[in-house]
Amino acid sequence: MSRSTKACRIVLLAVTLAVALATSAAGATGAVHFQLESVQAFEHQLSRGEVHAATFHQRAGAGHLHLSMNDGRHFTVAYASSEEPKLAARARAGGIPVALAVATPKKATAAHHTLRYIAGGILIVVILVVAAVLLLDRRRKLGEAGGAPPTQSQPSQ
């Protein structure tokens, strides 16, 4: 295998790794997945001391309660809005920190800026690959022509 073939493979490997890292970084989120459970299961876990924290999310008519367990699991419990004071009082009596989530309006995300950054990154990678291929081709042609390019000699005095 010649040096230029090895170099091309190295460049392609580097480009593949860069694209893989860019896509994994863009898609990487540490989202918590909540499992659905009943109010009775919540009360059973509360009596056994398994609940670490509780957050109430209010809605008109019904809400949901996010529970963080001591073992790292997460649950959500749907409840009627009339049951909220009773559930909050039971959780506080069990020594569980209770929070009330406040809905905030989401700002519109600027997707076009994200797409511009992705397109710019791809363009830079393509430019680097083309420059590397041209440089390797030039070196290969110089090696076939019989050596290094002639250097300018300094005038003797």
Side-chain angles (χ1 to χ4, degrees), residues 57-65 77-81 84:
H57 297 265
Q58 297 175 332
R59 287 189 191 161
H64 61 278
L65 171 64
V77 178
Y79 64 89
S81 60
E84 181 183 336

Side-chain angles (χ1 to χ4, degrees), residues 3 6 19 24 36 38 43 48 65 67-68 70 72 75 78 80 84 113 115-116 130 133-134 136-137 147:
R3 286 178 52 191
K6 287 181 184 177
V19 170
S24 67
L36 199 59
S38 66
E43 290 177 352
R48 292 185 2 192
L65 171 64
L67 300 173
S68 296
N70 290 333
F75 293 103
E84 181 183 336
H113 290 302
L115 295 176
R116 286 181 188 172
V130 169
V133 169
L134 290 175
L136 292 174
D137 188 48

Side-chain angles (χ1 to χ4, degrees), residues 40-102:
Q40 292 81 15
F42 160 65
E43 290 177 352
H44 179 68
Q45 291 167 343
L46 187 64
S47 66
R48 292 185 2 192
E50 296 177 351
V51 181
H52 177 71
T55 305
F56 286 90
H57 297 265
Q58 297 175 332
R59 287 189 191 161
H64 61 278
L65 171 64
H66 284 173
L67 300 173
S68 296
M69 309 303 284
N70 290 333
D71 60 2
R73 294 179 298 157
H74 299 279
F75 293 103
T76 185
V77 178
Y79 64 89
S81 60
S82 61
E83 294 178 0
E84 181 183 336
K86 179 185 82 165
L87 293 174
R90 285 211 20 128
R92 285 188 185 104
I96 308 301
V98 175
L100 179 64
V102 179

Side-chain angles (χ1 to χ4, degrees), residues 27-34 74:
T29 59
V32 175
H33 298 286
F34 289 89
H74 299 279

Side-chain angles (χ1 to χ4, degrees), residues 1-12 136 140:
M1 191 180 307
S2 67
R3 286 178 52 191
S4 63
T5 306
K6 287 181 184 177
C8 285
R9 286 187 178 182
I10 290 172
V11 168
L12 287 174
L136 292 174
R140 183 183 54 85

